Amino acid sequence: MSSSNAAGHWPERVGIRGMEIVFPSQFVEQTELEAFDGVSAGKYTVGLGQQRMGFCSDREDINSLCLTAVRNLLDRQAVPLHQIGRLEVGTETIVDKSKSVKSVLMQLFEPAGVTDLEGIDTTNACYGGTAALLNAINWIESSSWDGRLALVVCGDIAVYAQGTARPTGGAGAVAMLIGPNAPLCFDRGLRASYMKHAYDFYKPDLSSEYPVVDGKLSIQCYLSALDACYQLYGKKFAQRHPDVVAPVTLDTFGAFIFHSPYGKLVQKSLARVGLNDFVLTPPEQRAKLFPGQAEQFANVRLEDTYFDRDVEKAFMTQYAAVFEAKTKRSLHLASQIGNMYTPSVYSCLVSLLIGSDVDELLGKRVGVFSYGSGLASSMYSISITTDREQLAEFKQHLNYVQPLLERRTKVAPAEFTEMMAVREKNNHAAPYEPTGSVEVLFPGTYYLKSVDSMHRRTYERISMMITRCARVPGHWTAYLC
């Protein structure tokens, strides 16, 4: 790999060269949680659009999740450690106010003598992973780049106090290998950001894992950020491509993915982009492009529609087919695992990739909206390669995802609640010996072995060579992860 570029030339096609996702080996059914919580049937499954929720026992923390994701990515992609020049973490799950998760990950590199690794942790709610990713892109496109690859990992454990917010939890980590000549290329110069001060979701109590949430304000902040980013992206696209006469609309994208606190909000967000298209369309052209809505919503203003059910319903109906075609498949993992916080939008990218055939993806432009409360947000786009062989190889490395999802262990709501109580009681406890089962963890998983009296955490890893057996009537079936 060249350590320098010809003067005035950018590295070509900088983007994602490999991805790895990890998620908890245990889950709770949202239908069973509805019954356990005594809420109406469908409140979590239909109302939120969630099917299952992954969760971690006290055996896993943010360090173990990121250790697993990074180690698995390096092993699966067969990347020599000396070829990594930047490693950055995006997370809002804090176990130490000073020591970074990145510094813990250095355990993976030090045996090979690799210590020259830029990057530390980046934090702002669910946006930290995107900030880390953009930092990696910037590094490769800067004079600081030495020709090596960057590695970004975003991970979180999203837990809430018992009550109506708990079903919107989840956990997981996504690691990404960043470099030139990537099959998923970031469109240069097409980033739009919206940053603002808000108390919509925050974690002021450092002794607790639980956030403080203003639900209504959070939705308003999310949608207003989406409006601002989408419109600014359109302006930057026009500046970048003066030869393209047509304005940016949903038709510009072959797929559109969003940060997913819960599936229903994503469906509303896709319709919201359609509403933006309507508002930005000259009035004289609306009747042709938006039959049935041109007169009804002629004077609509975006800032008045965050909670307007008539507008929401009309545009969700109008864009139902577009949602099915461009966004729905990206919610597969989110519906099965829940909100991962920083990895959320990247789990949607993984879902889009594993849920689509190679020929469906070739040459597509994917719109990406990332949001973090407080607030920070960005929209950018990814151009997928037209090289069929390169994309097929990229997708092949993700073939483990669906089988692993199906191997998870279901836990009853009562037991799940007890395990959450253990986490709550022992959060930041020291010394501490975790009690969660190690046997249920996937092969290759790092787990918390102990915390000593000085709060120093020790981790071990489940062997990758564990063979698990499942009893099937008449015979035994064994598989190797």
Side-chain angles (χ1 to χ4, degrees), residues 18-22 66 69-70 73 151-154 173-177:
M19 299 184 76
E20 183 80 20
I21 185 167
V22 300
C66 290
V70 172
L73 176 71
L151 200 158
V152 173
V153 57
C154 34
V174 171
M176 293 171 276
L177 191 64

Side-chain angles (χ1 to χ4, degrees), residues 30 33-34 36-40 43-45 47-48 50 53 159-169 211 213-216 261-262 416:
Q30 293 280 15
L33 204 55
E34 289 170 346
F36 181 79
D37 290 345
V39 301
S40 58
K43 183 176 178 66
Y44 305 155
T45 51
L48 296 177
Q50 299 301 116
M53 180 172 61
V159 288
Y160 295 83
Q162 192 167 3
T164 56
R166 176 158 281 183
T168 61
V213 185
D214 183 332
K216 186 173 182 179
Y262 52 92
F416 158 71

Side-chain angles (χ1 to χ4, degrees), residues 122-187:
T122 304
T123 300
N124 189 91
C126 301
Y127 184 80
T130 291
L133 178 57
L134 298 184
N135 287 345
I137 298 289
N138 290 343
W139 176 71
I140 292 174
E141 294 187 342
S142 77
S143 62
S144 297
W145 187 49
D146 60 7
R148 292 184 292 170
L149 302 172
L151 200 158
V152 173
V153 57
C154 34
D156 278 301
I157 298 174
V159 288
Y160 295 83
Q162 192 167 3
T164 56
R166 176 158 281 183
T168 61
V174 171
M176 293 171 276
L177 191 64
I178 310 301
N181 305 313
L184 306 185
C185 171
F186 280 60
D187 292 333

Side-chain angles (χ1 to χ4, degrees), residues 439 443 466-472 475-481:
E439 284 68 30
I466 288 180
T467 302
R468 298 188 179 186
C469 296
R471 182 63 172 164
V472 178
H475 64 281
W476 287 93
T477 298
Y479 60 83
L480 182 67
C481 286

Side-chain angles (χ1 to χ4, degrees), residues 215-225 303 306-307 371 375:
K216 186 173 182 179
L217 177 60
S218 184
I219 294 173
Q220 180 176 326
C221 288
Y222 182 103
L223 296 178
S224 64
E303 59 268 28
Y306 300 128
F307 305 101
Y371 176 84
L375 60 86

Side-chain angles (χ1 to χ4, degrees), residues 272-286:
R272 183 84 187 177
V273 176
L275 174 61
N276 272 266
D277 286 350
F278 174 84
V279 170
L280 295 172
T281 298
E284 65 273 12
Q285 298 178 22
R286 289 177 181 169

Side-chain angles (χ1 to χ4, degrees), residues 19 67 171 264 313 318 328 349 352 440 443 463:
M19 299 184 76
L67 281 165
K264 185 64 73 172
K313 182 178 180 181
Q318 166 96 14
K328 185 177 181 179
L349 181 56
L352 175 68
V440 299
S463 171

